[in-house]
Amino acid sequence: MKNYRLASWKTALLFLLPSLIGFLIFSIIPMIMQIFVSLTNWDGLSELVLFSNFSGFMQEFYVGLQNYKFILTSKEFLQVIGNTLEFVVLYIPLMLVCSMIVALILNSHVKGLGLFRVLYYIPVITSWVAGALIWKWVLSPDYGAINNILAIFGIEGPAWLQSSKWAMPAIVLASVWKDMGYFGLMLMSGLQGINQEYYEAASVDGAGKIKQFTKVTLPLLTPTIFFVIIISLINSFQLFTQIVIMTPEGGPLNSTIVMVERIYKYGFRYYQMGTAAAYSWILFAILLILTMVQMKLQKKWVNYDD
């Protein structure tokens, strides 16, 4: 039996080896290199020979923890965190509500459901570049569709992307439009996994549709909601494409500068690869801490009972 298990492991390892080699070369080694780069003031243009002249490279560019100190003590970092938290607070609740509506419609038997299934998923498969350009046009203060609709009701729409107050909400609208179909599909799979006997029992007890949703659907859907929150929170800290295209210079008064946008700017605009690498490790630490906190808090509200 022991020999059989050993042979099975060897066979499995043989099939996994190509993926493991790729993961090592393209993920693990770059991550290790990035740790060292974050301790330097390398500009990304000077020669980098870690394997043949590592000691010479570190001797020339090494600055210790200066990059981390610079980031964590700067006013820019506070604004980056503030902008990101603003996005999270606006995005996650709105995304959950919209995704739940999508999931409930998909899980129903209304007419035209087939057409809706096609339409709701179009944003998901649309390139973020194309989607961001569309929203940049839609949010135009002069000829944008949203302001034209508001004008019909006598409301003067704001200069969305040109306003420090409205730039981040505009990014949130575009992000919810793009993501609600994806997360709606996840929530729909959770809805379909709920045993219908619970609804039958609730109906016998006189519970209406609203009470069934609050007392049966939501509690039994908490594992899926928890997963969606984790993924959407990670996505929130990885904002990039919509920010760069819709507000290319970080928005008015830097109102849309965020972590990944800073990593890109420091690395490929300012040629401060050490600072960019340090930013990326700070981002990793933030996401790790937030995920660990969520995993701890899930015991208080996530229901895994069948």
Side-chain angles (χ1 to χ4, degrees):
M1 186 68 177
K2 187 176 180 180
N3 292 335
Y4 174 76
R5 287 182 177 178
L6 182 61
S8 298
W9 273 105
K10 288 181 178 179
T11 303
L13 184 61
L14 183 64
F15 282 100
L16 290 172
L17 198 58
S19 297
L20 291 175
I21 292 173
F23 181 68
L24 178 67
I25 294 174
F26 297 108
S27 296
I28 301 300
I29 292 177
M31 286 177 67
I32 295 172
M33 291 173 63
Q34 192 185 44
I35 293 174
F36 292 110
V37 171
S38 72
L39 302 175
T40 70
N41 61 356
W42 181 52
D43 59 9
L45 300 175
S46 305
E47 186 178 5
L48 173 60
V49 189
L50 285 178
F51 296 103
S52 62
N53 191 23
F54 174 70
S55 60
F57 171 79
M58 293 302 290
Q59 189 174 12
E60 182 177 355
F61 297 109
Y62 181 76
V63 294
L65 299 175
Q66 288 300 314
N67 291 325
Y68 294 94
K69 183 180 178 181
F70 164 73
I71 293 170
L72 295 174
T73 58
S74 66
K75 291 182 179 179
E76 178 192 82
F77 182 70
L78 293 177
Q79 189 167 13
V80 165
I81 294 298
N83 291 341
T84 304
L85 290 177
E86 180 184 358
F87 180 86
V88 169
V89 169
L90 294 175
Y91 167 76
I92 291 183
L94 183 60
M95 181 276 299
L96 281 174
V97 170
C98 293
S99 298
M100 183 64 73
I101 293 171
V102 168
L104 291 171
I105 294 173
L106 289 175
N107 201 44
S108 65
H109 302 285
V110 298
K111 287 186 177 181
L113 187 58
L115 177 62
F116 177 76
R117 284 175 175 171
V118 173
L119 293 176
Y120 91 94
Y121 210 75
I122 288 177
V124 180
I125 60 177
T126 300
S127 162
W128 242 129
V129 174
L133 288 173
I134 291 170
W135 273 93
K136 197 171 182 179
W137 171 78
V138 168
L139 294 168
S140 170
D142 300 320
Y143 50 80
I146 290 183
N147 280 5
N148 286 337
I149 293 172
L150 291 175
I152 295 174
F153 300 96
I155 302 172
E156 184 179 353
W160 295 90
L161 300 175
Q162 291 76 42
S163 166
S164 58
K165 179 181 178 181
W166 291 101
M168 188 57 78
I171 299 293
V172 170
L173 286 176
S175 300
V176 170
W177 168 82
K178 184 80 166 61
D179 296 338
M180 67 179 182
Y182 175 71
F183 291 119
L185 197 63
M186 289 186 183
L187 293 173
M188 184 196 70
S189 65
L191 287 172
Q192 293 184 342
I194 298 175
N195 194 327
Q196 293 300 309
E197 291 179 359
Y198 290 113
Y199 293 106
E200 294 171 3
S203 181
V204 169
D205 289 340
K209 293 294 182 182
I210 295 177
K211 202 157 190 177
Q212 288 181 27
F213 178 76
T214 56
K215 300 297 184 181
V216 178
T217 303
L218 283 181
L220 295 178
L221 200 59
T222 49
T224 308
I225 294 174
F226 172 66
F227 177 74
V228 167
I229 289 175
I230 285 185
I231 299 300
S232 59
L233 187 61
I234 292 173
N235 288 346
S236 298
F237 277 85
Q238 294 179 334
L239 278 176
F240 179 67
T241 311
Q242 58 269 54
I243 293 286
V244 171
I245 294 176
M246 295 174 68
T247 55
E249 298 303 323
L253 302 178
N254 289 332
S255 57
T256 61
I257 57 173
V258 289
M259 295 292 287
V260 178
E261 179 265 346
R262 290 291 90 187
I263 293 170
Y264 169 77
K265 288 284 178 69
Y266 275 107
F268 300 102
R269 289 278 295 274
Y270 310 145
Y271 298 106
Q272 298 177 23
M273 287 295 177
T275 306
Y279 245 118
S280 65
W281 278 106
I282 291 171
L283 173 60
F284 171 79
I286 290 171
L287 290 177
L288 180 63
I289 292 169
L290 287 174
T291 303
M292 290 174 64
V293 170
Q294 287 184 91
M295 294 298 290
K296 192 76 174 176
L297 293 177
Q298 68 161 323
K299 297 176 182 178
K300 296 184 178 181
W301 66 278
V302 179
N303 178 24
Y304 287 104
D305 296 335
D306 294 330

